[in-house]
Amino acid sequence: MTVSEDLNFCFPVRELSNERIKMTPFKASIHSSPLCSILSTHPELWAHMPTGPFQTVEDFNTNFLDTLVHHDPGMVSFAIIDKTKPPSAADEEGELAGMMSYMNSSSVHLCTEIGYIIILPQFQRTHVNSNAVGLLLRYALQVPSQGGLGLRRVQWQCSSVNAPSIRAAERLGFRKEGIMKWHRVFPGGKDNAKVHNGREMPRGSLDEEDYARDTVVLAHCWDDWEQGGRENIQAIMNRQH
């Protein structure tokens, strides 16, 4: 089902699903409240990201969805539905397990990035993340004749000190390309429970409570996909329970 008419994304958007997971375009009226009810007590889920945490549903809708997502043609967010769970208020096919986005997407350069990955605590270390990433990878890299977008590059960026994210990406076939030192400033990082890059702050820093992030860049490209990446992802999705 294509639903891109309602979205400001540079590629066609549709629901993506297998027997365990459904990725459906994030709708504030349906998904924000159940997501934020859990995120409000787990600010650490935003610790490595340049935005968040958000205190209320209104804060999330205004400063994440409206500010970052809805006005950016390179970004679209999906609600992750765990179809192995009973129907819920969030979805008739299962429970809301988190959120994941395409971002930094370009129809000119045929690329996207998988980011703003939020897996709610009760769904971590399960089949959820691998299947959700697998569905987004498959849609991005499959050729159009097989139902995909035919992109050439899917990127993954994360903090250099976020070892679980790096391990997850590499297990899913992303290849490490390098580290961008001092890539991001986290204004008020100390108060917002952000994680610092661990380096000594530069001389003359105006605010010692502004943290910094070094960013690891990984990518899964079309040739990686064609040379075993597709089969690797499918094998991981098949065995995740």
Side-chain angles (χ1 to χ4, degrees), residues 183-218:
H183 178 229
R184 287 190 176 275
V185 174
F186 290 158
K190 184 176 181 180
D191 290 338
N192 288 317
K194 300 298 184 182
V195 177
H196 185 35
N197 63 1
R199 301 179 187 274
E200 180 182 357
M201 290 295 286
R203 292 190 302 275
S205 296
L206 297 179
D207 193 338
E208 293 183 357
E209 295 190 356
D210 286 352
Y211 285 0
R213 187 181 98 170
D214 294 356
T215 296
V216 176
V217 180
L218 307 99

Side-chain angles (χ1 to χ4, degrees), residues 11-29:
F11 296 113
V13 177
R14 61 180 179 86
E15 285 187 347
L16 309 169
S17 66
N18 60 16
E19 67 277 7
R20 296 189 179 108
I21 292 294
K22 179 172 76 173
M23 306 293 286
T24 188
F26 196 98
K27 293 186 178 181
S29 60

Side-chain angles (χ1 to χ4, degrees), residues 145-172:
S145 62
Q146 296 175 332
L149 296 175
L151 304 188
R152 297 179 180 177
R153 175 183 174 86
V154 179
Q155 187 166 271
W156 181 297
Q157 296 191 71
C158 62
S159 167
S160 63
V161 295
N162 189 355
S165 180
I166 297 170
R167 285 196 301 268
E170 291 180 330
R171 188 170 65 89
L172 294 168

